[in-house]
């Protein structure tokens, strides 16, 4: 089975995956990346009111083949006080 690597940007910095996981298909690897986003966000929030999070999937050749990207923004709709 091919191995895929999941590089993560958590809003502060990039963590490069050096281990990866074996996955039967690219679609299964993409599903893993999408499923990881909520856990990353949960670990990093609360925090700054605007953040970007992503997981990029690399194949065995080191080329990016997929990205799961989440842009987070929190703001007041009405001025306080």
């Amino acid at each position: 089975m091919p191995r895929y690597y999941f590089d993560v940007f958590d809003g502060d910095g990039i963590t490069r995956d050096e281990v990866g996981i074996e996955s039967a298909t690219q679609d299964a690897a993409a599903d893993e990346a999408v499923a990881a986003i909520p856990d990353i966000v949960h670990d990093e929030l609360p925090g700054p009111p605007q953040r970007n999070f992503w997981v990029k999937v690399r194949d065995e050749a080191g080329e990016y083949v997929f990205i799961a990207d989440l842009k987070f923004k929190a703001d007041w709709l009405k001025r306080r006080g």
Side-chain angles (χ1 to χ4, degrees), residues 4 7 9 24 29 33 35-36 49 68 73 75 79:
Y4 293 92
D7 297 341
F9 179 71
K73 179 179 179 183
D75 201 359
R79 294 289 168 214

Side-chain angles (χ1 to χ4, degrees), residues 24-50:
T25 66
Q26 279 190 348
D27 287 339
D31 289 346
E32 289 285 337
V34 170
I37 290 284
D39 291 333
I40 296 163
V41 171
H42 181 265
D43 290 345
E44 297 299 324
L45 293 179
Q50 294 185 22

Side-chain angles (χ1 to χ4, degrees), residues 5 11-12 14-15 17 20 30-33 38 42 45 51 58-60 65 69 74-75 80-81:
Y5 301 86
D12 291 323
I14 298 171
T15 303
D17 180 5
D31 289 346
E32 289 285 337
H42 181 265
L45 293 179
R51 308 261 310 257
R58 285 183 286 120
D59 63 13
E60 291 175 320
V65 296
D69 183 11
D75 201 359
R80 300 182 295 166

